[in-house]
Amino acid sequence: MALHFRKPQNTLEFGGRTAYEAQGDASEPVRKCPNCHKEIPVSVLQENEQVCPCGHHFRLRARTRLRLLLDKDSFWELYGNLISENPLGFEGYDEKLEKVRTATGEAEAVVTGIGRIKGISAAVFAMDSYFMMGSMGSIVGEKITRLFEYAVRQHLPVIGFTASGGARMQEGLLSLMQMAKTSAAVKWHSDAGLLYITILTDPTTGGVTASFAMEGDVILAEPDALVGFAGARVIEQTTRKRLPQGFQRADFLLEHGFCDAIMDRREQREGLAQILAIHGYRAGTEELAEGK
Ligand SMILES: [Zn+2]
């Protein structure tokens, strides 16, 4: 089975080494942590799945997440050939897509496929906040919908990492209808008695929060992830009320019943395998077949 992860495309995936080398810094490259403000060697971050010793979770690219989660060589990408067009003829959208595709090495803001977690087969998706802020256009919605449909046919659980700025405004209403479309697919999967787990990562907002991100049977969040519908500033301006400390952060979510647990990234592989096992999913050796 072919491994579809690409080689590191940019400075984000493997800790910024390329950028620092480009600056002519031959010593150990570092990344400044926005939480503890310390400069952390990238080798330390790399060994800790891009988590700072203070606990801050740096954002991850979609393929990095899947690589950290899945058994080695077990990922099979599905629907990677689907590419956004510019259905409304929105000015500048074609150019923007072209630019972001080149910059990220991705065709769209979500990577979908199948793989194994400690031997247990699952359909998986990971959104990429570096691709137009993980915004949901027609293709993001279509890939996620098809993945759920595939999972129903193959009796697979779905595990998804969400990260999104919301609907993709360049696709207008076509973008908004993806909320209903993906939700219908989640319901179909649920009616088939299959498990769906979401991991809300920083940031998960807008139409993605209002649809498949919050529809998991089990909803996990990464520490301190920002999760909400409208932004805090918009809410404050509209309601003319000051928002409480930590509003829309993972702890706040847990306290108010919007997620089931906060799970450190370094515990996710083990934790997700356990949740799958509790729900009766077992490790298997059958070949994972490519979907249509
Ligand atoms: Zn830190």
Side-chain angles (χ1 to χ4, degrees):
M1 193 179 298
L3 181 67
H4 291 268
F5 296 122
R6 296 167 198 194
K7 63 182 181 184
Q9 302 272 350
N10 54 56
T11 59
L12 304 162
E13 192 161 6
F14 291 107
R17 189 157 289 160
T18 316
Y20 287 101
E21 280 172 2
Q23 287 167 14
D25 185 351
S27 61
E28 167 88 65
V30 293
R31 261 187 104 176
K32 191 161 182 179
C33 172
N35 182 49
C36 66
H37 305 291
K38 287 185 183 146
E39 293 189 333
I40 313 297
V42 298
S43 58
V44 171
L45 290 175
Q46 218 167 316
E47 282 158 19
N48 288 285
E49 306 190 10
Q50 303 297 325
V51 179
C52 178
C54 78
H56 174 73
H57 283 50
F58 283 92
R59 290 179 186 175
L60 288 185
R61 296 294 309 275
R63 280 173 209 273
T64 310
R65 281 202 179 279
L66 296 178
R67 180 170 55 78
L68 293 172
L69 175 71
L70 299 172
D71 298 351
K72 195 166 182 286
D73 291 354
S74 75
F75 182 61
W76 187 297
E77 185 167 2
L78 297 173
Y79 321 120
N81 58 333
L82 297 184
I83 290 175
S84 289
E85 291 182 347
N86 186 359
L88 304 182
F90 194 93
E91 202 184 325
Y93 185 34
D94 292 309
E95 294 76 11
K96 178 136 191 167
L97 279 171
E98 188 61 42
K99 211 170 137 187
V100 77
R101 280 178 194 138
T102 308
T104 60
E106 290 296 347
E108 251 305 331
V110 68
V111 178
T112 46
I114 46 177
R116 285 202 174 93
I117 304 159
K118 295 196 160 228
I120 306 172
S121 302
V124 290
F125 70 85
M127 301 188 76
D128 199 317
S129 62
Y130 292 90
F131 192 104
M132 295 189 75
M133 207 46 235
S135 59
M136 176 162 63
S138 311
I139 297 300
V140 168
E142 183 65 21
K143 285 174 86 169
I144 285 172
T145 301
R146 286 194 194 186
L147 185 73
F148 274 93
E149 291 171 351
Y150 179 87
V152 173
R153 290 196 300 273
Q154 302 291 328
H155 309 289
L156 292 173
V158 175
I159 294 179
F161 293 92
T162 61
S164 180
R168 190 170 296 172
M169 62 167 193
Q170 291 89 342
E171 293 187 26
L173 207 58
L174 294 169
S175 174
L176 291 182
M177 68 163 272
Q178 305 309 315
M179 292 165 63
K181 191 169 90 181
T182 53
S183 297
V186 171
K187 177 74 165 67
W188 196 44
H189 183 257
S190 175
D191 287 348
L194 298 162
L195 180 70
Y196 171 35
I197 306 171
T198 49
I199 302 98
L200 312 171
T201 78
D202 189 61
T204 296
T205 62
V208 167
T209 301
S211 60
F212 61 87
M214 301 302 270
E215 290 165 352
D217 299 302
V218 178
I219 302 175
L220 306 171
E222 281 203 335
D224 209 38
L226 178 81
V227 181
F229 182 60
R233 210 174 48 202
V234 173
I235 297 173
E236 278 195 328
Q237 282 167 1
T238 312
T239 62
R240 300 185 187 212
K241 280 184 187 153
R242 274 190 69 82
L243 294 166
Q245 189 86 19
F247 180 69
Q248 291 182 333
R249 294 284 170 185
D251 283 330
F252 192 89
L253 252 65
L254 183 63
E255 223 169 277
H256 293 82
F258 280 86
C259 72
D260 298 303
I262 296 171
M263 194 178 276
D264 189 296
R265 184 178 294 158
R266 294 161 292 185
E267 293 162 6
Q268 285 171 7
R269 187 173 141 81
E270 189 66 44
L272 288 165
Q274 272 182 23
I275 295 171
L276 289 171
I278 288 166
H279 288 83
Y281 295 96
R282 297 280 173 261
T285 50
E286 78 288 353
E287 273 294 302
L288 294 171
E290 188 167 14
K292 293 185 181 71

